[in-house]
């Protein structure tokens, strides 16, 4: 149906299931430019005086189905003043009406009704009726009046003063209507009827929470007598990428203009180019030669401002448009994507708009936090998964410097893939041409609004909607409309007949080996992973395997992590305490539970531990320190290292001995060795590290001065001189004595008492200075609280025998061996997992009370893999202060330790329970040399391991089994202990995907081999 409404159109609810009706009376999509009445206002770029917000409280009525709604509420004579209030913008389901629902690929009505496109339920289609009373803003009388809805889910009808105005679908692009014919003097009644389900719902099957309502801002606006209705700025560069040309297409509306002035100014407000067009046509194109220009990139996001001034027939200035312009050229050269002549690599992330309390109704503050976190985490690109974002987001990406894949609002996942199986028998849109117009409308709405943002390099045809002529035609529209960008679509992977839809090979969750196979097979297109590294729960293991491809293959051009932020909502438990609620917690059925918890950032906008790894593998400058200098490889395309200061530090056992600072200049794309002088340490035994980092010299938009953007570390040992071997314990006898009883063995000294049980088959007491440190004795552990990736790969099923083996064991023997100044008690265990598997734990107590623990494992072939080989015990909960010398500071694992550094840091046991939606393994540290576990007076125990054979450790308030049994953090028990788990090894966490991909073999544990580790327990304080 035409977008401009014919006279006397009567609205009908049949439109909700009519694929041909999606925009009635809607103003054609146009650019998102701002406009002002004066040059001064335009230069300030503040709030537009010609806009009037309708955000705030609206009158509201809710109905669970269309039949139950108050159908005549829109009539002027029907009073709605007694209705309840609802906040706009906001989701209906988060304001006390109905329930939010989370589903991933299946349609939300699956199992409730047997529907096929374009059918819409008549019984399960909640309706929200909104009313806003307003007066025409002062000074606007007699002028055109429009209303703009920036986002309404998923279909809505509009009336003003009882007259039908229009109808629209597409939840994520603006819908605007001309109210001028329906305005009355005094108070006006704006009525909006919002339906949760429509034909558009078949096209909006994204992996997200299902809401409805007016969730983005609403405002009135007017326009001057001569107005820039639409503009399209396009930049081009000469063959040297130095001189810039600006082409501006203008569409004017209203009365005739006497002239149009275009003035291009740089960031210092200096005029670069200008031109005046006298008596312009309504459609005109103006070309400005800008000379040599500063180029726009994510590294140096330089913006010019184009001022477009319109004069009426009397020669009076009536409108000024300030349009930001970034000169850049994005193109394909020899099958490789280039920006400004340089091969580009996307260090990206997928981002949903989300707020833990407000859903997709996010604020400016949310977006500012996000853009700063993205820049601080060394990400340079965002894919707007899977719908156009608010306009402000693109403005921030322009200003801060972030590349964007702008994705149209299209996903029909449930129509062609069921429980992972490809079954497109009723796929939409496919080749069903009756869907062409409604799909194309979404593409047009996105492009027309967003086309002037330099940050957008690629248009995306949507997500996971299979392939076909409809989407192919969309890609052709993108190319015809805009030659300055490329086109992306991943779905052609499933039907290569439509390979032309995408300009690049794009895949989801392809393994490194699969990517290399493609790149080694004479590929016709460059490669990106539009989604990779499924960051669900404790994940992102092995991400460095992907980023290592950047320098290996020119046609590998990066990827986008899935995804940026956990999509969860705040809810209160039965005791009134807030918790992070996921699918199913709102009685939403069907649901996909916690599958929305894939963020590298928590839903409450805190960095998760995974960000440590992202920041490191995405850093543009690589530092390789040595004792004499640091090799700096600057992988930036356009900027040198001049904005940074090099900080280099020499540490011994994690304690700083020396630090220096210097300015360094390494040009973009170059590598240079920078020399420095460190203190001499030969002849001073110990473990040392040289840490180098680049920090910001000055404050930027996204970080303060001194912020570390990249680091590198070199660790080395200075060995003991020959013959200088320190004794394990004190040479003093310290009243050292061994007492073997009938049941127990005691090893005692002046200030300690260590007890072993023959009957229990383990160490049962460590008493230092009268303080009992063992509240539950050590036991071999072969299980961890299953991660989301573990479960997805079936590890919890395939290896469940190790769960039982960790709960109990049989002591086959114990042995006491005494020698001068020490006593060793060795236990040999048999496990239920196999008759021939053996585990030994030997405790050697020295005269100073220290206990050396040696644990060994002897496996057999044919066993399932286990996730950890450790000893776990409990100390009283008061001992929860932790002082580490290990790889950190955030948690890390065998396959996610690239971004961890050997350092000293402190935290508490509870800090090691990461806020993943479902409690699971977390808080591990690799490379542990020592960790002190103390109470608030500084007393406790110190655990150490040799630098040549460090251990791993998880110290938490909960056992693996307590974590395993909880589905939410509020289900965890009250804290009574600190659980100390010291491991010789723990397998990685994986992350290639969360539904079948195992941890890479090199980061797993061979159950058929032999394993051993050693650590020492000492008195602390």
């Amino acid at each position: 149906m035409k977008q401009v409404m014919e006279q006397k159109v009567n609205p009908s609810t049949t439109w909700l299931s009519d694929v041909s009706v999606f925009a009635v009376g809607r103003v054609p999509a146009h650019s998102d430019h701002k406009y002002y009445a004066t040059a001064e206002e335009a230069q300030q770029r503040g709030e537009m005086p010609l806009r009037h917000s309708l955000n705030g409280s609206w009158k509201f009525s809710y109905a669970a189905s269309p039949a139950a709604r108050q159908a005549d509420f829109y009539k002027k004579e029907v009073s709605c003043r007694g209705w309840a209030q609802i906040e706009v913008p906001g989701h209906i389901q988060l304001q006390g009406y109905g329930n939010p629902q989370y589903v991933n690929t299946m349609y939300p009505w699956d199992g409730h009704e047997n529907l096929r496109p374009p059918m819409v339920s008549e019984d399960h289609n909640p309706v929200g009726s909104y009313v806003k009373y307003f007066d025409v803003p002062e000074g606007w009388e007699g002028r055109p009046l429009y209303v703009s809805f920036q986002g309404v889910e998923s279909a809505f009808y509009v009336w003003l003063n009882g007259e039908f105005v229009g109808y629209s679908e597409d939840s994520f692009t603006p819908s605007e209507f001309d109210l001028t014919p329906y305005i009355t003097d005094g108070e006006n009644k704006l009525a909006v009827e919002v339906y949760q389900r429509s034909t558009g719902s078949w096209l909006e099957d994204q992996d997200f929470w299902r809401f409805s309502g007016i969730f983005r801002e609403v405002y009135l606006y007017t326009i001057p007598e001569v107005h820039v209705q639409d503009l399209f700025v396009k930049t081009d560069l000469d063959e040297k990428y130095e001189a810039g040309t600006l082409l501006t297409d203008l569409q004017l509306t209203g009365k005739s203009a006497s002239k149009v002035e275009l003035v291009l100014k740089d960031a210092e407000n200096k005029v670069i180019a200008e031109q005046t067009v006298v008596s312009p046509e309504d459609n005109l194109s103006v070309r400005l030669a800008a000379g040599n220009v500063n180029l726009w990139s994510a590294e140096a996001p330089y913006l010019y401002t184009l001022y477009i001034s319109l004069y009426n027939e009397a020669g009076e200035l009536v409108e000024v448009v300030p349009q930001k312009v970034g000169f850049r050229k994005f193109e394909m050269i020899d099958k490789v994507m280039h920006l400004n002549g340089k091969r580009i690599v996307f260090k990206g992330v997928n981002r949903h708009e989300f707020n833990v309390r407000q859903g997709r109704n996010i604020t400016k503050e949310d977006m500012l936090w996000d853009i700063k976190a993205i820049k601080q985490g060394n990400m340079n690109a965002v894919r707007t998964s899977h719908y156009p974002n608010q306009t402000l987001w693109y403005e921030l990406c322009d200003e801060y410097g972030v590349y964007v894949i702008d994705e149209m609002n299209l996903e029909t996942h449930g129509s062609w893939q069921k429980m992972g199986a490809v079954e497109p028998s009723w796929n939409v849109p496919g080749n069903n041409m009756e869907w062409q117009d409604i799909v194309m409308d979404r593409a047009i709405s996105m492009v027309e609004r967003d086309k002037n943002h330099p940050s957008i390099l690629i248009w995306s045809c949507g997500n996971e909607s299979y392939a076909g002529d409809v989407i192919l035609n969309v890609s052709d529209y993108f190319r015809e409309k805009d030659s300055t960008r490329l086109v992306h679509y991943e779905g052609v992977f499933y039907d290569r007949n439509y390979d032309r839809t995408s300009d690049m090979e794009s895949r989801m969750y392809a393994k490194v080996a699969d990517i290399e196979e493609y790149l080694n097979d004479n590929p016709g297109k460059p490669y990106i992973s539009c989604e990779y590294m499924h960051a669900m729960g404790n994940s992102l293991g092995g991400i460095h395997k992907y980023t290592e491809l950047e320098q290996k293959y020119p046609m590998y051009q990066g990827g986008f992590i899935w995804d940026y932020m956990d999509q969860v909502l705040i809810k209160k438990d039965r005791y009134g305490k807030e918790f992070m609620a996921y699918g199913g917690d709102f009685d939403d059925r069907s649901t996909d539970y916690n599958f929305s918890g894939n963020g590298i950032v928590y839903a409450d906008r805190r960095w998760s531990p995974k960000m440590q790894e992202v920041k490191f593998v995405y850093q543009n400058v690589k530092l390789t320190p040595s004792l004499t200098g640091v090799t700096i490889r600057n992988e930036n395309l356009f900027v040198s290292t001049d904005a940074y200061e090099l900080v280099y530090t020499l540490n011994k056992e994690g304690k700083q001995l020396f630090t220096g600072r210097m300015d360094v200049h390494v040009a973009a794309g170059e590598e240079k060795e920078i020399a420095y002088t460190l203190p001499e340490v030969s002849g001073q035994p110990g473990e040392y590290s040289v840490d180098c980092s680049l920090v910001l010299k000055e404050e930027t938009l996204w970080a303060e001065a001194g912020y570390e953007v990249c680091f590198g570390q070199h660790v080395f040992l200075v060995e003991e001189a020959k013959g200088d071997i320190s004794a394990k314990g004190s040479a003093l006898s310290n009243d050292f004595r061994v007492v073997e009883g009938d049941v127990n063995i005691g090893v005692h000294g002046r200030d300690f008492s260590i007890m072993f049980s023959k009957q229990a088959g383990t160490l049962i007491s460590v008493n230092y200075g009268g303080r009992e440190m063992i509240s539950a004795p050590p036991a071999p552990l072969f299980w961890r609280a299953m991660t989301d990736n573990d479960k997805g790969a079936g590890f919890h099923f395939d290896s469940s025998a190790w769960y039982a083996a960790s709960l109990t064991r049989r002591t086959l023997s114990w042995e006491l061996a005494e020698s001068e100044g020490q006593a060793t008690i060795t236990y040999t265990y048999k496990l239920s997992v196999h008759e021939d598997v053996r585990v030994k734990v030997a405790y050697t107590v020295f005269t100073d009370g220290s206990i050396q623990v040696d644990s060994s494992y002897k496996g057999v072939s044919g066993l399932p893999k286990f996730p950890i080989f450790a000893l776990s015990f409990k100390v009283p909960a008061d001992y929860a202060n932790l002082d580490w010398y290990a790889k950190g500071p955030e948690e890390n694992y065998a396959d996610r330790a690239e971004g961890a550094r050997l350092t000293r840091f402190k935290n508490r046991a509870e800090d090691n329970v990461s806020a993943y939606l479902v409690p699971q393994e977390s808080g591990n540290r690799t490379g542990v040399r020592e960790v002190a576990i103390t109470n608030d007076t500084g007393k406790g125990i110190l655990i150490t391991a040799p630098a040549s054979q460090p251990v791993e450790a998880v110290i938490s308030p909960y056992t693996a089994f307590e974590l395993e049994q909880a589905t939410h953090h509020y289900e965890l028990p009250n804290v009574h202990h600190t659980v100390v788990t010291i491991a010789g090894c723990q397998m990685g966490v994986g992350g290639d995907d969360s539904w079948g991909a195992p941890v890479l073999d090199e980061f797993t544990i061979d159950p058929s081999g032999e394993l051993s580790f050693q650590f020492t327990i000492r008195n602390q304080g």
Side-chain angles (χ1 to χ4, degrees):
M1 184 175 284
K2 292 182 180 180
Q3 289 189 332
V4 179
M5 188 178 67
E6 304 292 344
Q7 294 295 316
K8 303 298 182 182
V9 170
N10 293 315
S12 170
T13 55
T14 62
W15 294 351
L16 295 168
S17 56
D18 187 341
V19 73
S20 69
V21 182
F22 49 85
V24 179
R26 200 176 71 193
V27 173
H30 56 82
S31 54
D32 60 4
H33 62 278
K34 293 181 178 181
Y35 54 93
Y36 301 88
T38 69
E40 291 75 18
E41 289 179 350
Q43 287 179 353
Q44 293 171 3
R45 286 182 60 85
E47 294 296 324
M48 284 177 50
L50 298 181
R51 282 185 186 173
H52 177 77
S53 175
L54 294 182
N55 294 347
S57 293
W58 290 47
K59 295 296 182 180
F60 183 75
S61 176
Y62 177 80
S65 67
R69 80 193 194 283
Q70 187 170 332
D72 60 353
F73 82 104
Y74 62 88
K75 295 179 179 178
K76 192 169 179 65
E77 65 271 17
V78 175
S79 175
C80 302
R81 297 186 186 279
W83 282 11
Q85 304 277 357
I86 197 169
E87 285 298 307
V88 170
H91 298 294
I92 290 172
Q93 290 75 15
L94 298 184
Q95 300 189 66
Y97 304 95
N99 292 320
Q101 180 185 11
Y102 167 67
V103 287
N104 175 16
T105 63
M106 60 181 150
Y107 284 101
W109 48 81
D110 188 79
H112 291 279
E113 292 184 271
N114 189 20
L115 303 175
R116 286 292 182 263
M119 296 169 60
V120 175
S121 174
E122 296 181 4
D123 299 321
H124 300 95
N125 191 5
V127 183
S129 300
Y130 295 77
V131 171
K132 184 73 171 181
Y133 296 97
F134 70 90
D135 293 333
V136 175
E138 186 177 352
W140 291 18
E141 296 83 0
R143 303 181 68 169
L145 186 69
Y146 299 85
V147 64
S148 178
F149 296 88
Q150 291 292 297
V152 181
E153 188 174 2
S154 71
F156 67 108
Y157 301 77
V158 181
W159 295 264
L160 186 67
N161 298 321
E163 298 292 330
F164 179 62
V165 175
Y167 169 82
S168 184
E169 298 177 23
D170 187 354
S171 301
F172 295 97
T173 54
S175 297
E176 299 182 350
F177 303 93
D178 186 356
L179 301 181
T180 310
Y182 316 107
I183 287 293
T184 61
D185 293 335
E187 186 176 74
N188 291 269
K189 179 183 179 181
L190 179 64
V192 183
E193 191 171 69
V194 179
Y195 288 79
Q196 185 167 14
R197 310 282 186 230
S198 66
T199 47
S201 302
W202 290 101
L203 305 177
E204 296 178 4
D205 192 34
Q206 289 95 333
D207 176 10
F208 62 9
W209 287 90
R210 311 307 168 102
F211 301 119
S212 65
I214 306 172
F215 70 96
R216 287 182 182 167
E217 67 174 332
V218 183
Y219 56 83
L220 302 172
Y221 69 93
T222 189
I223 57 176
E225 58 183 294
V226 187
H227 174 58
V228 175
Q229 178 66 17
D230 185 69
L231 73 127
F232 191 1
V233 294
K234 289 172 277 190
T235 64
D236 197 8
L237 302 172
D238 66 3
E239 60 184 15
K240 294 182 179 179
Y241 303 96
E242 294 174 350
T245 302
L246 176 63
L247 178 65
T248 304
D249 295 331
L250 294 173
Q251 179 186 333
L252 308 184
T253 188
K255 297 179 181 179
S256 297
S258 63
K259 64 176 179 177
V260 179
E261 291 179 349
L262 293 90
V263 179
L264 181 67
K265 294 185 177 183
D266 64 15
E268 288 72 44
N269 208 35
K270 178 184 175 183
V271 175
I272 301 300
E274 55 187 327
Q275 186 172 336
T276 299
V277 180
V278 179
S279 301
E281 299 291 332
D282 288 346
N283 294 284
L284 69 154
S285 295
V286 180
R287 183 180 297 272
L288 294 176
N292 286 359
V293 292
N294 293 302
L295 303 184
W296 185 96
S297 68
E299 298 165 17
Y302 192 97
L303 291 173
Y304 293 79
T305 304
L306 175 67
Y307 292 95
I308 305 169
S309 301
L310 270 61
Y311 294 81
N312 64 14
E313 291 176 317
E316 299 166 329
L317 178 65
V318 293
E319 181 176 83
V320 183
V321 173
Q323 177 61 52
K324 294 292 184 181
V325 175
F327 282 90
R328 56 114 180 103
K329 188 169 186 176
F330 187 60
E331 59 191 330
M332 193 80 76
I333 302 175
D334 296 332
K335 301 190 292 187
V336 175
M337 291 179 281
H338 285 70
L339 179 69
N340 303 334
K342 304 287 187 179
R343 168 185 171 257
I344 191 173
V345 174
F346 295 109
K347 302 180 178 187
V349 68
N350 286 271
R351 175 182 173 270
H352 274 286
E353 293 181 311
F354 209 78
N355 177 289
V356 73
R357 297 184 184 275
Q358 298 174 189
R360 287 187 286 277
N361 168 28
I362 67 171
T363 65
K364 178 180 180 179
E365 291 70 29
D366 291 335
M367 286 184 263
L368 285 170
W369 195 96
D370 291 350
I371 200 87
K372 290 176 182 177
I374 285 168
K375 292 291 287 187
Q376 290 171 6
N378 287 327
M379 289 164 270
N380 71 1
V382 164
R383 176 174 174 236
T384 65
S385 52
H386 304 287
Y387 43 81
N389 289 184
Q390 293 186 40
T391 287
L392 177 58
W393 180 249
Y394 302 98
E395 293 176 354
L396 292 174
C397 291
D398 295 341
E399 182 181 9
Y400 282 71
V402 174
Y403 305 124
V404 176
I405 295 182
D406 199 11
E407 192 149 83
M408 66 181 280
N409 178 23
L410 176 66
E411 180 167 344
T412 65
H413 206 152
S415 75
W416 64 273
Q417 192 170 41
K418 292 88 176 180
M419 296 190 296
V422 176
E423 196 285 290
S425 60
W426 55 274
N427 167 241
V428 288
N431 295 322
N432 302 303
M433 298 314 293
E434 65 269 23
W435 289 83
Q436 183 68 77
D437 288 348
I438 190 173
V439 171
M440 187 67 76
D441 176 68
R442 290 162 182 253
I444 292 170
S445 293
M446 175 181 73
V447 168
E448 292 295 351
R449 187 195 68 169
D450 297 342
K451 57 184 179 281
N452 294 320
H453 293 282
S455 57
I456 299 171
L457 301 186
I458 297 172
W459 300 119
S460 176
C461 300
N463 185 64
E464 293 178 317
S465 298
Y466 203 60
D469 288 333
V470 171
I471 297 176
L472 176 61
N473 291 339
V474 167
S475 74
D476 285 339
Y477 158 75
F478 286 147
R479 296 185 186 97
E480 180 182 352
K481 176 69 180 180
D482 181 10
S483 62
T484 70
R485 297 177 171 98
L486 297 177
V487 178
H488 164 270
Y489 185 61
E490 175 268 344
V492 299
F493 178 81
Y494 296 97
D495 191 340
R496 291 299 183 179
N497 292 312
Y498 300 93
D499 204 57
R500 188 171 64 83
T501 306
S502 185
D503 293 330
M504 65 283 300
E505 176 75 7
S506 174
R507 298 186 188 178
M508 294 182 177
Y509 309 107
K511 312 299 188 292
V512 169
D514 297 329
I515 297 170
E516 293 201 87
E517 181 181 6
Y518 170 81
L519 293 170
N520 286 319
D521 191 27
N522 190 28
K525 299 178 183 179
Y527 178 92
I528 65 168
S529 289
C530 65
E531 295 178 20
Y532 82 115
M533 278 285 106
H534 198 259
M536 185 177 182
N538 195 348
S539 187
L540 237 67
I543 187 174
H544 62 284
K545 297 290 185 179
Y546 293 87
T547 56
E548 286 168 359
L549 300 178
E550 295 170 4
Q551 302 302 315
K552 188 175 181 181
Y553 299 97
M555 292 180 70
Y556 177 82
Q557 299 201 255
F560 295 77
I561 295 166
W562 186 266
D563 60 357
Y564 173 66
M565 176 178 286
D566 290 341
Q567 294 182 74
V568 291
L569 296 164
I570 289 290
K571 191 184 180 190
K572 291 184 178 180
D573 65 19
R574 63 180 301 179
Y575 301 106
K577 186 177 180 180
E578 290 186 340
F579 72 98
M580 298 289 187
Y582 51 76
D585 288 335
F586 295 89
D587 297 331
D588 46 317
R589 304 292 189 276
S590 56
T591 187
D592 281 299
Y593 300 98
N594 67 313
F595 204 75
S596 63
N598 316 132
I600 55 176
V601 166
Y602 294 132
D604 55 359
R605 284 184 162 78
R606 293 179 294 123
W607 284 30
S608 85
K610 292 170 282 192
M611 278 285 275
Q612 176 175 262
E613 195 78 352
V614 174
K615 181 182 177 184
F616 182 82
V617 299
Y618 274 0
Q619 58 191 20
N620 280 342
V621 183
K622 306 297 195 294
L623 304 179
T624 307
S626 71
L627 290 176
T628 57
V630 57
T631 300
I632 301 179
R633 187 170 79 247
N634 183 3
E635 296 177 2
N636 282 299
L637 304 181
F638 307 106
V639 299
S640 72
T641 59
D642 289 354
Y644 312 126
E645 184 178 33
L646 174 66
V647 180
Y648 52 102
T649 304
L650 177 67
N651 307 288
K652 181 179 182 181
E653 267 92 49
K655 297 175 181 177
Q656 183 176 304
L657 298 179
F658 172 83
T659 187
R661 309 174 81 94
M662 70 171 76
D663 292 342
V664 292
H665 175 80
V666 182
E670 291 190 358
E671 181 176 308
K672 186 181 292 186
E673 175 75 22
I674 304 296
Y676 47 63
T677 301
L678 298 175
E680 180 62 47
V681 296
S682 59
Q684 303 175 48
E687 184 178 41
Y688 294 83
S689 70
V690 180
D691 295 0
C692 288
S693 61
L694 292 181
V695 301
L696 289 173
K697 290 181 182 178
E698 299 177 357
E699 181 182 10
T700 67
L701 283 174
W702 48 270
E704 297 178 350
Y707 182 79
E708 181 185 271
V709 296
C710 59
F711 84 92
Q713 185 177 63
H714 171 59
V715 178
F716 63 98
L717 283 170
V718 175
E719 300 288 349
E720 299 268 4
K722 287 186 176 181
D724 183 18
I725 301 174
S726 300
K728 282 285 184 180
S730 169
L732 299 175
S733 66
N734 199 20
D735 296 338
F736 185 76
R737 57 195 176 91
V738 178
V739 179
E740 182 178 355
D742 295 328
V743 178
N744 301 302
I745 300 170
V747 183
H748 308 285
R750 188 173 303 154
D751 300 310
F752 67 88
S753 175
I754 315 297
M755 296 284 290
F756 300 88
S757 171
K758 303 175 184 178
Q759 182 172 274
T762 186
L763 168 70
I764 59 172
S765 174
V766 175
N767 191 301
Y768 289 135
R771 302 184 314 277
E772 178 54 60
M773 296 305 303
I774 300 294
S775 54
L781 181 70
F782 300 89
W783 194 253
R784 70 183 184 193
M786 290 287 96
T787 66
D788 292 312
N789 290 343
D790 291 339
K791 296 172 186 175
F795 195 92
H796 60 323
F797 179 85
D798 297 336
S799 296
S800 57
W802 291 105
Y803 182 99
S806 299
L807 291 175
T808 188
R809 68 223 56 83
R810 177 167 293 166
T811 306
L812 294 180
S813 65
W814 61 268
E815 179 182 344
L816 170 63
E818 296 184 59
S819 60
E820 184 177 355
Q822 65 185 60
T824 301
I825 295 87
T826 303
Y827 296 98
T828 301
Y829 303 111
K830 175 183 178 181
L831 304 181
S832 60
V833 70
H834 193 281
E835 178 70 23
D836 297 327
V837 171
R838 294 292 182 269
V839 174
K840 286 188 176 184
V841 182
Y843 301 91
T844 301
V845 183
F846 298 96
T847 56
D848 61 355
S850 61
I851 309 166
Q852 178 181 299
V853 184
D854 291 271
S855 183
S856 62
Y857 163 90
K858 184 178 181 181
V860 297
S861 60
L863 293 176
K865 293 180 179 179
F866 51 80
I868 191 170
F869 173 43
L871 275 179
S872 188
F873 60 96
K874 298 176 183 178
V875 301
D878 287 347
Y879 298 89
N881 298 313
L882 309 177
D883 192 345
W884 300 81
Y885 174 44
K887 295 194 74 173
E890 301 298 332
E891 71 179 24
N892 51 90
Y893 292 82
D895 59 355
R896 202 183 82 209
E898 299 295 307
R901 69 192 79 188
L902 182 60
T903 185
R904 288 192 178 271
F905 57 96
K906 296 180 181 181
N907 67 1
R908 287 181 54 83
E910 59 266 27
D911 298 331
N912 296 321
V913 183
S914 299
Y916 305 131
L917 298 190
V918 173
Q920 57 195 274
E921 161 61 35
S922 63
N924 187 69
R925 301 302 192 282
T926 64
V928 178
R929 277 74 164 163
E930 60 180 67
V931 56
I933 307 168
T934 60
N935 60 17
D936 289 344
T937 66
K939 299 184 182 302
I941 58 174
L942 176 68
I943 292 176
T944 63
S948 58
Q949 193 179 353
V951 293
E952 302 187 32
V954 180
I955 303 175
S956 155
Y958 308 109
T959 67
F961 309 103
E962 289 169 332
L963 291 165
E964 179 101 356
Q965 296 305 313
T967 60
H968 297 82
H969 285 264
Y970 68 76
E971 299 171 23
L972 291 168
N974 290 333
V975 175
H976 300 288
H977 310 279
T978 294
V979 181
V980 181
T981 301
I982 309 299
C985 50
Q986 181 175 176
M987 78 175 191
V989 292
D992 286 348
D993 64 46
S994 300
W995 49 89
V999 172
L1000 298 177
D1001 280 344
E1002 64 190 278
F1003 302 117
T1004 61
I1005 303 170
D1006 180 4
S1008 66
E1010 295 186 5
L1011 304 168
S1012 64
F1013 65 97
Q1014 178 188 102
F1015 64 95
T1016 300
I1017 303 172
R1018 290 183 169 87
N1019 183 23
Q1020 177 72 14

